[in-house]
Amino acid sequence: MREDKIKTFENILRKHGLKVTHPRLSVLEKIFNKDTATSQPDLERSIGEDIDRVTLYRVLSAFEEKGIIHKIFDLHGTATYALCSTQCKSHEHHDEHVHFTCSNCNSVYCLEEITLPNISTPSGFTIEQVSVNAIGICNKCKTLKDASDA
Ligand SMILES: [Zn+2]
Ligand SMILES: [Zn+2]
Ligand SMILES: [Zn+2]
C-alpha cells in the first residue's frame, strides 16, 4: 500500500473513533479502490488469506455502525458495501442517493449526483431511511455490447 493512501485510511479510521489495525486498513483499501460497491464474498476472495471471516465480518459491521461504509443489496440479495459520504456519522447515515444495479454484471453503483426527493409522510409516520434502487445496464456493459454489435 502506498504511504499517502495509508495516511488517508488512517485518518478515516481515527476520524470515526476506530483504532488503526491491519484488517481495517486492508478492508478500507479494497472498498476504496473500486468504483462499484464491494460484496462480502468479493472481500473474502481478495483478502481471505489475510483476514478470517469473523474478523472481516466484525470490521464491516464496525465500519457500517461508524458511518464509514453503507450497505446495499445486489440483485441476488448479497450485501455489498460502498464508502459513505463525509456527512455520515455513527448511527447516522446520509447516503440519500440512487443505487444502480446492473442486470448484466450485477455491479452496484452509488449514483451520488442523483439525490432523493424529500418525502412528506402522513402524520404519525417517521421515515428512518429511504432507498431507491434502479436496475438496468451499466455504462461498462453498454460499451461492451455496443462493441460486439458493431
Ligand atoms: Zn453512510
Ligand atoms: Zn454491468
Ligand atoms: Zn451509495
Side-chain angles (χ1 to χ4, degrees):
M1 232 189 283
R2 281 180 37 206
E3 193 72 19
D4 53 338
K5 275 244 167 103
I6 297 175
K7 276 270 164 305
T8 310
F9 299 148
E10 285 178 350
N11 285 340
I12 294 175
L13 291 174
R14 292 213 182 90
K15 194 185 135 208
H16 291 89
L18 288 173
K19 271 218 296 262
V20 176
T21 64
H22 170 66
R24 285 175 182 157
L25 286 177
S26 305
V27 173
L28 207 49
E29 190 201 14
K30 284 286 169 267
I31 296 177
F32 197 88
N33 282 344
K34 281 188 73 181
D35 58 350
T36 57
T38 312
S39 73
Q40 191 163 336
D42 267 355
L43 287 166
E44 275 171 28
R45 265 191 297 275
S46 56
I47 47 181
E49 283 172 20
D50 247 10
I51 300 165
D52 63 75
R53 285 180 79 145
V54 180
T55 308
L56 175 63
Y57 177 80
R58 288 208 189 108
V59 170
L60 289 172
S61 32
F63 280 6
E64 201 186 352
E65 194 187 300
K66 295 287 181 184
I68 299 176
I69 57 173
H70 58 286
K71 191 192 317 192
I72 316 107
F73 291 99
D74 72 8
L75 289 178
H76 308 303
T78 305
T80 69
Y81 298 90
L83 280 187
C84 279
S85 71
T86 46
Q87 289 108 312
C88 290
K89 294 196 282 274
S90 251
H91 299 287
E92 199 190 317
H93 282 274
H94 295 280
D95 304 291
E96 289 98 3
H97 49 253
V98 171
H99 286 113
F100 185 98
T101 310
C102 178
S103 57
N104 187 53
C105 67
N106 195 31
S107 294
V108 178
Y109 296 80
C110 289
L111 301 184
E112 273 154 53
E113 59 279 18
I114 310 178
T115 51
L116 303 184
N118 282 320
I119 297 168
S120 54
T121 47
S123 83
F125 290 83
T126 308
I127 291 181
E128 289 180 339
Q129 200 201 330
V130 177
S131 61
V132 173
N133 300 309
I135 297 168
I137 304 292
C138 76
N139 55 358
K140 290 201 183 92
C141 289
K142 186 176 185 310
T143 311
L144 287 177
K145 191 179 173 305
D146 289 350
S148 69
D149 283 352

